[in-house]
Amino acid sequence: MRRTALLTTALVFLAGCALEEKPELALACQTQACVCLPAQVSYPLKGKSAPVQWKTNGDAYCLEGYVLRRPEK
């Protein structure tokens, strides 16, 4: 019983840490540069980017078939 509680607590903690690592790009793009790239690209072709779209609440989003990404440096 004690082992199960400890394991459950550890899993919840690790899940919380994993969520913090992935920034919410819809919000981050309000203050940082973002691009919309094709959702499926075959390597080494990168595909053309599309302009970032904006919702009325300020969140960034991409048209269907594209995903938000931070630009490569």
Side-chain angles (χ1 to χ4, degrees):
M1 180 73 165
R2 190 173 193 200
R3 181 180 285 178
T4 303
L6 181 61
L7 181 60
T8 302
T9 302
L11 289 174
V12 169
F13 176 75
L14 291 174
C17 290
L19 290 175
E20 291 177 17
E21 289 179 11
K22 295 181 181 180
E24 182 61 46
L25 286 180
L27 298 174
C29 292
Q30 293 178 6
T31 58
Q32 300 173 0
C34 292
V35 295
C36 291
L37 296 175
Q40 295 183 0
V41 178
S42 58
Y43 184 79
L45 301 176
K46 287 191 175 185
K48 293 187 177 184
S49 63
V52 175
Q53 305 294 311
W54 299 96
K55 294 182 181 179
T56 56
N57 68 355
D59 288 352
Y61 72 99
C62 296
L63 298 175
E64 188 174 338
Y66 290 85
V67 293
L68 281 172
R69 296 279 188 246
R70 293 192 179 174
E72 294 180 10
K73 294 182 180 182

